Amino acid sequence: MSFYQNKIAWITGASSGIGEALVYELSKAGAKLIISARREAELERVRQQSGHPENVFILPLDLEAPATFDAAVQMAIAAFGRIDLVFHNGGISQRSLVKDTLPAIHRKIMEIDYFSYIELTRLLLPHFQQQRSGHLVVISSVMGKIGTPLRSAYAAAKHALHGYFDCLRAEVWKDNIGVTVITPGYIRTKVTMNAVTATGEKLNREGKEIGNGYPADRTAAQIAKAVENGKYEKYVGKPFSKEWMAIQLMRFFPAMAMRVFRNAVPD
Ligand SMILES: NC(=O)c1ccc[n+]([C@@H]2O[C@H](COP(=O)([O-])OP(=O)(O)OC[C@H]3O[C@@H](n4cnc5c(N)ncnc54)[C@H](OP(=O)(O)O)[C@@H]3O)[C@@H](O)[C@H]2O)c1
């Protein structure tokens, strides 16, 4: 029997990209799903394409609206009576230099990519602790491990996720709650298109690296496997790619890594 058979998973950012691919991957494996994002029509499209629409519950959610999180968590739990896994995945990227980026834009990125993850987690913890099981899956990024130009707030949010969820893992292991932090490389999605500029506008253009990125469906399969294997942290994407190399370089030769990264021209 599949690890995911009859498991109940909540996936944020499920209307596109990695989250959408996770819906198809987990649905195929027998999971029941709660799917969230802002665009309800896109969620309905994903539900219909999931192969098992009867096992998919749509829960619209804006990760920039923390006042709605308490009710959303209660609705997510009520959808199928419990939650086994949460995939914190919804997010936005950035293309702007530090000197140009308005404070409000830094806050917006932190709100969506960091604060929403930790507040939803805080609200879910009593449920996981009561049932003495649960697994938190956190979609970080290679940018959670390194720093390059044009991604300051995004990298800050992603780095923060590692610190927070490493601490949480150490706190909740005794309650049988697991934490897997995923660091994707370049994955072919709308992430660059949806990235924000210094003043908060949508970038609205494709990136070359993302355009040639690893397919989202294979990424979702890698994520599902990492969770099943109880990994604490896992790179996903093209094996032995330059993004993977960047993590290794930063870990073992940080001075050299930082000289390489300052010449990086992110698209
Ligand atoms: N693609 C990559 O190369 C890559 C690499 C590393 C990490 N990641 C991470 O992977 C995750 C998924 O991104 P993706 O690549 O799949 O990009 P994507 O195709 O742009 O999908 C982003 C998802 O996040 C949701 N979202 C954005 N802002 C939201 C908000 N305020 N409230 C609720 N949902 C929101 C979007 O849904 P709505 O617009 O419908 O709300 C969408 O479902 C992100 O955390 C991203 O940082 C991606």
Side-chain angles (χ1 to χ4, degrees):
M1 191 172 82
S2 149
F3 170 81
Y4 291 99
Q5 188 70 44
N6 292 327
K7 290 244 166 46
I8 295 159
W10 185 8
I11 304 172
T12 70
S15 62
S16 172
I18 296 172
E20 176 176 353
L22 276 168
V23 173
Y24 304 147
E25 180 68 26
L26 300 192
S27 180
K28 193 173 63 185
K32 294 187 174 144
L33 304 172
I34 300 119
I35 64 171
S36 292
R38 288 166 301 179
R39 291 168 301 157
E40 212 170 331
E42 286 302 298
L43 292 173
E44 182 54 36
R45 175 186 62 77
V46 171
R47 190 174 85 90
Q48 291 303 333
Q49 287 177 204
S50 69
H52 297 281
E54 71 284 4
N55 287 341
V56 179
F57 180 84
I58 291 176
L59 178 56
L61 181 69
D62 182 350
L63 296 175
E64 260 191 290
T68 66
F69 290 178
D70 201 356
V73 166
Q74 296 320 314
M75 280 173 76
I77 295 169
F80 296 106
R82 66 166 203 283
I83 295 177
D84 300 306
L85 299 135
V86 176
F87 290 78
H88 288 301
N89 165 76
I92 50 164
S93 190
Q94 172 194 13
R95 292 296 181 279
S96 59
L97 294 171
V98 166
K99 71 179 178 56
D100 303 327
T101 307
L102 298 175
I105 306 311
H106 282 287
R107 287 183 184 279
K108 178 186 178 74
I109 294 167
M110 289 298 288
E111 192 66 44
I112 297 170
D113 290 352
Y114 175 68
F115 284 110
S116 76
Y117 285 36
I118 73 168
E119 179 59 359
L120 288 171
T121 297
R122 187 184 72 83
L123 292 166
L124 268 164
L125 268 187
H127 176 65
F128 282 175
Q129 283 171 324
Q130 195 184 14
Q131 67 187 13
R132 290 200 60 75
S133 72
H135 201 111
L136 296 146
V137 186
V138 180
I139 308 299
S140 171
S141 168
V142 169
M143 292 306 300
K145 308 294 283 182
I146 68 168
T148 67
L150 298 171
R151 308 279 217 285
S152 52
Y154 182 70
K158 297 296 190 180
H159 274 73
L161 290 174
H162 287 262
Y164 179 93
F165 282 96
D166 284 350
C167 292
L168 182 70
R169 185 189 298 108
E171 288 182 14
V172 298
W173 68 273
K174 58 183 179 307
D175 300 317
N176 196 31
I177 298 169
V179 177
T180 299
V181 182
I182 301 287
T183 58
Y186 290 119
I187 314 300
R188 208 180 313 141
T189 70
K190 299 273 181 236
V191 71
T192 304
M193 195 72 131
N194 293 328
V196 288
T197 66
T199 46
E201 284 90 32
K202 191 172 150 173
L203 188 68
N204 232 347
R205 65 161 175 80
E206 285 293 357
K208 195 166 130 275
E209 301 282 11
I210 295 291
N212 294 323
Y214 201 66
D217 56 348
R218 288 165 71 182
T219 305
Q222 291 177 336
I223 295 171
K225 190 91 195 145
V227 173
E228 181 174 351
N229 291 340
K231 297 282 186 201
Y232 295 151
E233 187 175 303
K234 183 80 173 86
Y235 163 84
V236 296
K238 189 175 170 204
F240 307 110
S241 64
K242 64 180 174 192
E243 309 91 270
W244 177 83
M245 294 275 290
I247 295 177
Q248 312 314 315
L249 197 63
M250 187 68 195
R251 180 168 174 207
F252 296 111
F253 304 103
M256 191 195 294
M258 285 186 248
R259 283 198 297 275
V260 172
F261 299 154
R262 70 189 174 200
N263 293 316
V265 187
D267 67 344

